[in-house]
Amino acid sequence: MNTRFTPNADKLNLKFEGYKLRPFQEATNLIRVPLEGIQVYEPTNDQRLGFRDLQARIRYSNLIYGHPLDQHRGSSFCIDQEFNLHMIVYDKLTRSLETYLITQLIKPLGGVPAFVNLDSTVPIEPQLPSAVSVSRELLLASNGVGDIELIGMEEKGGKMLGTSLASVCYLGVGNEGISPVPCMLLAARQIKTKIVLVVYSRTASKTTEFNIATLELDIPTDTTERLDDGSFVLLLKTLHIQTGPEVPVYCAITPSGNCIFGSEVRYNKIKLLQHRDDDGSAEDGTTTPMDIVENLPKHDAYQWSQEGADITVQFKLPENTPKSAISCKFVVDHVSLLIQNSSISYPFRKLWSTIQPDESLWTLEDNMLTLCMTKVDENTRWPQLFDKDDGVLETLSDQHLSEIKDRLAKLTSENTSSSLVPNHSFVQAAQHPAATDMDEDVDDAGEPVVFGVYDRCGNVVDEFNSGTSRWICSSYEAAHKLPSVCLQMDVDGLVFTLTEVEDKIQIEHTATLDAFAFVQASKRDARFIHHDADLHFASIIESSRNAYLYYHHDDKRLEEVQTLVDLTQGHDVDIMGAQVVHERALLVLTESQLVLICLD
């Protein structure tokens, strides 16, 4: 498989015996600060969300990472119900927390007017307000209904002050059915005089589909045009847009401006067609970031058929493709196929059912790659090739179609003619109920995470996956670092650091969180799972009660320390977010208070 997450044997602790529970010293290492006058934003309960949309919202931390103010002070942000942006400053020397009101974001006016008749598939519900710290002085924020603001901050007289420097509407790609488009920020990074950012939004479709848009805007300067109210004019440029059924579980922007998206699915690129005059206006005279958007034409990447126990899959390859360019492996329940200099890439695709790898093979003849696989159960007819239906129908011969129509005629009443099913379209209607009755794979056990690296034009310049290792978590954010990745190997959690060297992503196994995969799998309520970027600890934080903390050292000791912090003290309040605000200092946000955990 095309995985570069290779374990380093020197980093494994094979003699680890377990964790020893140690009571947390709350009297000296725990600070609780009430949220006086701050009601953390919570969505209304009348919204009906799909599983993948709800999953992405649950993962989102309402406590937003902030850049360090100096050697001793860290920061974080939160947005309240009135769309006020608050800054929380932690001073390590005094072990104190201070909260400052920075500014109020553009407050949404309300729902869609009653006289507007929208299709039922249009996602009119707002997204959560979100923000990403770009630097100590700049922060990007979204109010969830399509307004993106650039916030400027400074420290004056011992207080943190801020204001909205400029705002711009996100108009989407045209398939959302609403404008501006409700969106959430995933990542942002300053690259010289520009800010590259990633947002996601819902499309207007019966099934859950997301647009992952990479955008760019200029940082205002003294020469930037201003509006009458003194704010700057922002121009939002769309670099590329990917679409898929999931929000990336991993999203990062590299120093060169490339984007890394990690998800169980591979994203499809949306083609942007811009029709503009020389003055930058659209043909109808309006000025919009994008005028016409359409999907790239879709062609079936392969053909497949089945006969008894045999399944045949064929791919048309580019001219003169050598056998050495093909990497193909058969496993009981999936296939791994990678071809150099080709768009064909299946690093880990789970099959609809099981096969016999020892009796499966591939051949290459006249630029036609043929996979011959043998089913474990020859009496079961597959409704599709892969576990997740990609819409490629089985290629049936005229004889097969005739046999199917004859069987259908025997099962229908005398008044029903088999001529009602005259062509290949019958096959899709006759699929197994398990393949057609599910809108979303809610009970999916999980698949390897595929990491795609996209350049400024949206082209995939690199791709790798987690292989047979299950995704556990990424690290808490840290300034100027790509988040590290923690993957499961046996009972351990293996931490891999991602770095960009000459536009290439290098991956290194830097630490092992002993038995972390085991303890993580044992937690039924685990909302926020992360490790700190400096690898001092890992944390599992529940949605309404406890924080489980697991210490880490690199000396391969037989025992590590585990501790438990009761965050809500039995009160019926939700835990809204968590961030590392300084080395060994974990800040947790609940509905009613801030809880600072010092792990000295």
Side-chain angles (χ1 to χ4, degrees):
M1 287 182 220
N2 185 21
T3 179
R4 298 207 294 273
F5 294 99
T6 305
N8 181 354
D10 293 336
K11 294 290 183 179
L12 300 179
N13 184 8
L14 302 180
K15 296 182 180 181
F16 182 72
E17 295 180 354
Y19 286 96
K20 183 177 181 180
L21 182 62
R22 185 177 73 186
F24 189 75
Q25 302 298 321
E26 293 194 13
T28 56
N29 291 350
L30 193 70
I31 301 173
R32 297 181 187 271
V33 178
L35 289 176
E36 297 180 356
I38 301 177
Q39 183 181 357
V40 183
Y41 180 87
E42 283 190 287
T44 56
N45 295 325
D46 57 354
Q47 299 177 18
R48 298 184 61 183
L49 302 175
F51 171 73
R52 293 300 180 187
D53 203 349
L54 184 61
Q55 184 184 52
R57 293 186 180 214
I58 290 175
R59 284 198 302 254
Y60 179 73
S61 173
N62 289 273
L63 193 60
I64 301 152
Y65 171 78
H67 278 66
L69 301 182
D70 53 41
Q71 184 179 357
H72 304 292
R73 294 183 300 163
S75 66
S76 189
F77 299 88
C78 69
I79 301 172
D80 69 14
Q81 200 72 28
E82 296 299 319
F83 293 87
N84 294 312
L85 177 69
H86 300 270
M87 185 178 191
I88 304 154
V89 177
Y90 166 63
D91 191 325
K92 183 181 179 180
L93 297 179
T94 61
R95 284 203 171 181
S96 61
L97 290 171
E98 294 288 340
T99 303
Y100 303 94
L101 174 61
I102 298 298
T103 188
Q104 184 179 40
L105 307 182
I106 298 174
K107 193 172 181 179
L109 297 177
V112 177
F115 58 83
V116 177
N117 187 17
L118 293 175
D119 186 88
S120 60
T121 61
V122 176
I124 60 175
E125 67 275 1
Q127 295 287 354
L128 298 178
S130 55
V132 179
S133 177
V134 178
S135 66
R136 178 181 169 181
E137 296 82 17
L138 293 174
L139 177 139
L140 277 178
S142 168
N143 60 1
V145 298
D147 298 300
I148 298 175
E149 295 183 71
L150 182 63
I151 310 297
M153 297 169 294
E154 65 174 344
E155 185 174 10
K156 184 176 292 185
K159 293 186 177 181
M160 302 304 303
L161 305 176
T163 186
S164 177
L165 300 176
S167 65
V168 65
C169 290
Y170 174 58
L171 301 182
V173 301
N175 61 358
E176 297 90 350
I178 187 173
S179 182
V181 178
C183 63
M184 278 188 70
L185 291 163
L186 288 177
R189 189 182 189 108
Q190 179 177 343
I191 300 177
K192 297 182 179 179
T193 61
K194 300 180 183 293
I195 296 176
V196 177
L197 60 147
V198 178
V199 303
Y200 83 81
S201 60
R202 281 278 309 278
T203 66
S205 59
K206 293 182 179 180
T207 59
T208 303
E209 195 80 10
F210 298 96
N211 287 334
I212 315 300
T214 302
L215 314 170
E216 182 184 74
L217 54 84
D218 293 322
I219 297 176
T221 62
D222 293 338
T223 60
T224 304
E225 182 183 354
R226 291 177 180 264
L227 298 174
D228 294 337
D229 61 1
S231 62
F232 293 97
V233 175
L234 279 186
L235 297 178
L236 195 62
K237 179 182 179 181
T238 301
L239 300 181
H240 60 87
I241 296 176
Q242 313 294 326
T243 184
E246 296 180 6
V247 177
V249 69
Y250 183 94
C251 180
I253 302 171
T254 69
S256 68
N258 290 343
C259 294
I260 307 176
F261 300 152
S263 176
E264 290 184 358
V265 299
R266 298 179 74 248
Y267 293 99
N268 297 317
K269 181 181 177 182
I270 290 182
K271 185 178 181 182
L272 309 179
L273 299 180
Q274 302 203 13
H275 298 276
R276 296 181 179 276
D277 298 329
D278 293 336
D279 61 357
S281 301
E283 293 178 346
D284 60 359
T286 60
T287 56
T288 59
M290 299 161 50
D291 298 306
I292 299 178
V293 182
E294 64 178 21
N295 289 329
L296 287 171
K298 292 185 177 180
H299 302 284
D300 290 348
Y302 59 89
Q303 292 182 333
W304 73 285
S305 61
Q306 55 186 321
E307 181 67 35
D310 299 324
I311 289 183
T312 303
V313 187
Q314 291 185 314
F315 296 85
K316 184 67 176 178
L317 303 186
E319 293 287 338
N320 302 319
T321 300
K323 287 188 176 181
S324 58
I326 301 171
S327 174
C328 182
K329 296 181 181 179
F330 299 100
V331 188
V332 173
D333 61 348
H334 72 269
V335 62
S336 173
L337 175 63
L338 296 168
I339 302 174
Q340 298 177 10
N341 302 321
S342 171
S343 60
I344 299 173
S345 177
Y346 297 92
F348 186 103
R349 286 298 296 270
K350 192 174 181 181
L351 298 168
W352 188 82
S353 188
T354 53
I355 61 173
Q356 301 180 46
D358 295 340
E359 298 185 17
S360 303
L361 54 88
W362 62 272
T363 62
L364 178 63
E365 186 175 354
D366 296 331
N367 300 314
M368 182 65 72
L369 173 63
T370 302
L371 310 186
C372 301
M373 299 180 289
T374 303
K375 302 176 186 175
V376 171
D377 185 359
E378 62 179 273
N379 297 318
T380 299
R381 189 169 188 85
W382 292 16
Q384 63 206 42
L385 183 60
F386 295 115
D387 179 51
K388 292 186 178 180
D389 190 7
D390 55 5
V392 180
L393 299 176
E394 179 186 357
T395 302
L396 298 177
S397 64
D398 293 338
Q399 180 181 353
H400 279 137
L401 286 174
S402 178
E403 291 176 356
I404 292 173
K405 286 190 289 183
D406 289 342
R407 291 195 209 106
L408 182 64
K410 294 178 181 179
L411 296 174
T412 55
S413 64
E414 296 179 356
N415 296 328
T416 305
S417 171
S418 61
S419 61
L420 293 176
V421 194
N423 53 40
H424 190 84
S425 63
F426 158 77
V427 179
Q428 188 171 16
Q431 285 185 354
H432 192 284
T436 59
D437 194 39
M438 292 182 61
D439 175 73
E440 298 177 79
D441 50 345
V442 177
D443 296 324
D444 190 5
E447 293 187 3
V449 173
V450 177
F451 294 83
V453 183
Y454 300 83
D455 63 12
R456 287 177 54 86
C457 298
N459 300 315
V460 180
V461 295
D462 195 3
E463 186 177 273
F464 45 92
N465 66 81
S466 61
T468 58
S469 298
R470 178 176 57 86
W471 168 270
I472 296 181
C473 66
S474 60
S475 65
Y476 287 103
E477 293 182 64
H480 312 303
K481 288 183 180 180
L482 296 178
S484 53
V485 172
C486 183
L487 302 177
Q488 169 266 336
M489 191 188 81
D490 198 12
V491 298
D492 295 330
L494 273 56
V495 178
F496 294 89
T497 302
L498 280 63
T499 54
E500 185 180 46
V501 179
E502 298 180 354
D503 292 342
K504 298 292 184 181
I505 300 299
Q506 294 187 355
I507 303 172
E508 181 185 2
H509 176 200
T510 52
T512 298
L513 302 177
D514 299 317
F516 189 59
F518 174 77
V519 296
Q520 179 266 335
S522 67
K523 298 292 186 293
R524 298 187 63 181
D525 180 7
R527 183 173 182 182
F528 302 110
I529 307 174
H530 295 288
H531 58 276
D532 72 314
D534 297 318
L535 297 171
H536 296 307
F537 69 93
S539 62
I540 300 176
I541 300 176
E542 296 177 334
S543 59
S544 60
R545 189 62 189 262
N546 298 318
Y548 299 90
L549 306 173
Y550 303 89
Y551 288 72
H552 171 263
H553 299 84
D554 253 342
D555 53 6
K556 295 187 179 182
R557 57 187 63 185
L558 298 181
E559 281 186 347
E560 280 284 10
V561 173
Q562 169 192 354
T563 192
L564 171 67
V565 179
D566 187 348
L567 298 171
T568 61
Q569 296 178 307
H571 298 290
D572 185 19
V573 295
D574 290 335
I575 297 172
M576 313 294 292
Q579 287 292 341
V580 171
V581 291
H582 203 277
E583 186 179 7
R584 303 175 191 266
L586 175 63
L587 184 63
V588 180
L589 173 68
T590 75
E591 289 182 90
S592 59
Q593 61 182 351
L594 292 164
V595 183
L596 180 70
I597 305 170
C598 300
L599 299 175
D600 293 339

